[in-house]
Amino acid sequence: MTTSEAPAELGRIETELRAKRDAGRKLLVPYITGGHPGWQDAIRACAANGADCVEIGIPFSDPVMDGPVIQAASQVALEAGTTPRSVLDEVPDLDVGIPLAVMTYYNLVHHPGPERFAADLARAGVSGAILPDLPLEESGPWCAAADANGIETIMLAAPTAPDERLPRVAARSRGFLYSVGLLGVTGERSSLAETATDLAARLKAITEVPVLVGVGVSDAAQAHQATRVADGVIQGASMVRRLMESGPDAVGDYVAEVRAAIDAT
């Protein structure tokens, strides 16, 4: 398979995102911390206001990619007794009409084992998974289990990756390709890093998988800027901060604002 070819059977996330992209729509994927008070209604608000997919964070005690906002939300959830099982048990009742992915860390996959974790995601109705601390070179057992259960493994591409590595990351990614906007943890920043659009352009040149920029896309204007190059954006800290400060309705209002911005020509 060449780097520009898709797997024979696309999963739900990639099927829907490719179709929307090919129809001219820019893609919006909010991140919401599972287990935080109001998280279910926040996901419903995202879907109602123009999100194309939602990432559900499964809280972990040592989240190496998460900045202070998402760490704080995860801590609230963990202190309330949130577990991977308690998050997944809620997913079938969300009924949002868009695909859902989980984002978590490999320790939570390793503990039950890749096969069981992938099967649990599939039973819950989750379509994809993002595991930011799982390197491509070590992803074989997880990817095999995920593929067997119809779970799309969304890979991350870093701005420091050499050109020869990016095609291998792109070829293994399913659903979409997570173009990491800058080095460092998630969080809100005053401007979009130049590396965000530079990496997105490099990835767009080598793959047909939808390319979405995440990490450091902090407001509607930055989302618009990123989507002039990328197929879409992932927004976490700015979503979760609104959930923590003002509740699910504020998340929905913000999604609508970002949707309008990225739809603007």
Side-chain angles (χ1 to χ4, degrees):
M1 187 173 76
T2 68
T3 56
S4 61
E5 289 174 340
E9 292 186 19
L10 299 181
R12 182 182 177 188
I13 296 173
E14 191 164 342
T15 297
E16 293 192 16
L17 296 193
R18 278 178 179 253
K20 289 178 176 181
R21 176 197 62 188
D22 294 348
R25 179 181 174 95
K26 294 298 184 177
L27 306 168
L28 175 56
V29 180
Y31 167 102
I32 298 294
T33 301
H36 188 279
W39 73 275
Q40 303 99 322
D41 285 337
I43 291 174
R44 295 184 183 105
C46 290
N49 286 279
D52 299 295
C53 173
V54 174
E55 285 180 29
I56 304 171
I58 298 181
F60 179 57
S61 57
D62 187 24
V64 295
M65 188 175 168
D66 297 338
V69 170
I70 294 176
Q71 280 194 33
S74 294
Q75 191 61 35
V76 169
L78 290 169
E79 289 175 359
T82 297
T83 65
R85 169 61 58 197
S86 70
V87 172
L88 295 179
D89 282 350
E90 295 282 333
V91 170
D93 295 328
L94 293 173
D95 193 27
V96 288
I98 59 172
L100 302 171
V102 298
M103 181 170 176
T104 195
Y105 294 88
Y106 194 70
N107 186 280
L108 296 183
V109 178
H110 177 73
H111 183 68
E115 294 81 7
R116 181 175 166 188
F117 190 82
D120 286 346
L121 295 185
R123 276 192 295 271
V126 171
S127 298
I130 304 169
L131 302 170
D133 60 340
L134 179 63
L136 175 67
E137 291 76 13
E138 299 172 20
S139 66
W142 161 252
C143 287
D147 289 350
N149 284 276
I151 301 298
E152 295 162 271
T153 299
I154 297 156
M155 304 298 290
L156 289 85
T160 52
D163 285 342
E164 61 269 19
R165 179 179 173 80
L166 292 180
R168 292 187 285 120
V169 175
R172 181 50 254 183
S173 198
R174 307 286 184 266
F176 60 86
L177 186 53
Y178 194 127
S179 178
V180 178
L182 48 79
L183 291 179
V185 297
T186 61
E188 295 176 273
R189 293 167 173 85
S190 59
S191 62
L192 186 71
E194 197 172 294
T195 51
T197 48
D198 287 350
L199 178 59
R202 291 168 68 198
L203 293 170
K204 289 278 292 174
I206 62 165
T207 186
E208 289 299 315
V209 177
V211 174
L212 277 67
V213 174
V215 184
V217 184
S218 304
D219 57 29
Q222 291 177 32
H224 173 84
Q225 183 183 348
T227 55
R228 297 317 91 182
V229 177
D231 296 314
V233 289
I234 304 146
Q235 287 191 291
S238 54
M239 298 285 171
V240 173
R241 179 173 59 80
R242 285 167 172 82
L243 173 61
M244 295 177 72
E245 293 178 354
S246 305
D249 288 347
V251 174
D253 292 343
Y254 179 57
V255 170
E257 178 189 348
V258 176
R259 178 82 261 162
I262 66 176
D263 285 346
T265 56

